[in-house]
Amino acid sequence: MLKPFLTANWRYLAMLNFAADPKLLEPLLPRGTELDFHEGRTFLSVVGFLFLDTRVFGLPIPLHRDFEEVNLRFYVRRKKFDEWRRGVAFVRELVPRRAIAMVARTFYGEPYSALPMRHSLEHKEGRVLAEYQWRRGKRWETLAMTALGEPEGSAEGSHEEFITEHYWGSGLSEYRVEHPRWRLWPAQTTRFEADIATLYGPQFVETLSAAPASAFIAEGSHVEVLRRTQEM
């Protein structure tokens, strides 16, 4: 049985999803993977969320337990034996601590960068606000959403299930992320303000400047990131 390398609570995941041309993503595919499609389309997602009570090998790291992350990801799959492992691959991941970025790059080959970050959360009287910001130079850039009501589970085979229920990470190595199915709020409003060309590359400007295909806030849960093994 695999032991978790990292455990944490991921909370209030703001997920802004864009339909993407496969030709945009194919050059970024990790070795041994192919694009994963839902109803003939593949997607790019800008995702902001909170890491809470983060532990490495069961131990809390002072000043590194609670922090923000914002990432740009897309969806892949890999055939292993007789099963398809459905996962995500990352274009760029932002965190506020250099040590966190270094550990992620070293152990999992993920494209992490460290920037000043902050967040604002509000959840009361049936209204949810999730706002994540990162600073480059003198400018704060933003991913924010609002939602109303109670979160609900995603339907089997739905677009929402496709976006949220990928359980493998595919960087320079493959690893499994375990969590229960998440409940979701459909977003009522969204805001994404960033210099896309310098943040992710000019090839992403057209896609990430278009109207999103969907937007929702996932409630989140406890997660476990499992250690790599030779069989992976």
Side-chain angles (χ1 to χ4, degrees):
M1 183 175 179
L2 297 178
K3 294 182 179 180
F5 165 74
L6 179 146
T7 62
N9 291 304
W10 290 357
R11 297 295 184 184
Y12 296 100
L13 295 93
M15 311 183 82
L16 189 62
N17 311 300
F18 299 85
D21 187 335
K23 294 180 180 178
L24 175 65
L25 303 177
E26 285 169 352
L28 304 175
L29 282 169
R31 186 175 60 182
T33 68
E34 61 184 59
L35 291 175
D36 200 2
F37 290 82
H38 183 257
E39 296 183 347
R41 297 193 297 173
T42 191
F43 297 90
L44 269 171
S45 298
V46 184
V47 180
F49 62 103
L50 285 181
F51 268 86
L52 299 175
D53 192 24
T54 305
R55 296 170 182 262
V56 177
F57 297 119
L59 299 176
I61 309 300
L63 303 179
H64 294 76
R65 291 181 65 181
D66 302 337
F67 55 91
E68 305 88 351
E69 177 174 325
V70 173
N71 63 59
L72 178 63
R73 73 186 206 178
F74 62 101
Y75 302 89
V76 302
R77 64 180 190 168
R78 183 196 306 268
K79 190 71 172 289
K80 189 71 173 181
F81 305 118
D82 292 326
E83 70 166 344
W84 283 105
R85 294 180 172 181
R86 301 177 66 195
V88 298
F90 297 95
V91 178
R92 191 175 186 188
E93 298 169 84
L94 306 177
V95 289
R97 304 279 186 178
R98 292 181 181 177
I100 298 166
M102 182 184 69
V103 168
R105 289 195 301 263
T106 300
F107 282 90
Y108 289 99
E110 296 288 9
Y112 271 84
S113 301
L115 291 173
M117 299 183 74
R118 65 190 184 189
H119 71 277
S120 179
L121 291 174
E122 181 180 306
H123 186 182
K124 62 181 181 181
E125 298 178 352
R127 181 178 184 271
V128 182
L129 163 69
E131 180 181 78
Y132 300 95
Q133 295 185 300
W134 56 99
R135 193 183 73 210
R136 295 193 298 144
K138 296 182 178 180
R139 180 185 178 188
W140 285 95
E141 299 178 319
T142 302
L143 170 66
M145 294 183 188
T146 62
L148 300 173
E150 295 297 321
E152 297 184 355
S154 58
E156 293 286 341
S158 67
H159 167 77
E160 291 79 9
E161 180 190 54
F162 176 84
I163 295 295
T164 58
E165 303 301 319
H166 280 71
Y167 290 96
W168 292 89
S170 298
L172 296 178
S173 61
E174 187 179 53
Y175 54 92
R176 182 169 174 83
V177 179
E178 292 190 345
H179 63 77
R181 291 175 68 94
W182 290 331
R183 300 190 302 169
L184 312 172
W185 290 274
Q188 297 294 307
T189 66
T190 66
R191 183 160 61 101
F192 177 45
E193 298 175 351
D195 185 336
I196 296 168
T198 58
L199 181 61
Y200 298 125
Q203 70 271 34
F204 292 102
V205 170
E206 182 177 358
T207 299
L208 297 180
S209 298
S214 65
F216 40 82
I217 302 171
E219 188 176 34
S221 66
H222 178 77
V223 301
E224 295 184 350
V225 179
L226 301 185
R227 299 176 64 182
R228 297 174 297 171
T229 67
Q230 290 297 320
E231 72 174 52
M232 288 186 184

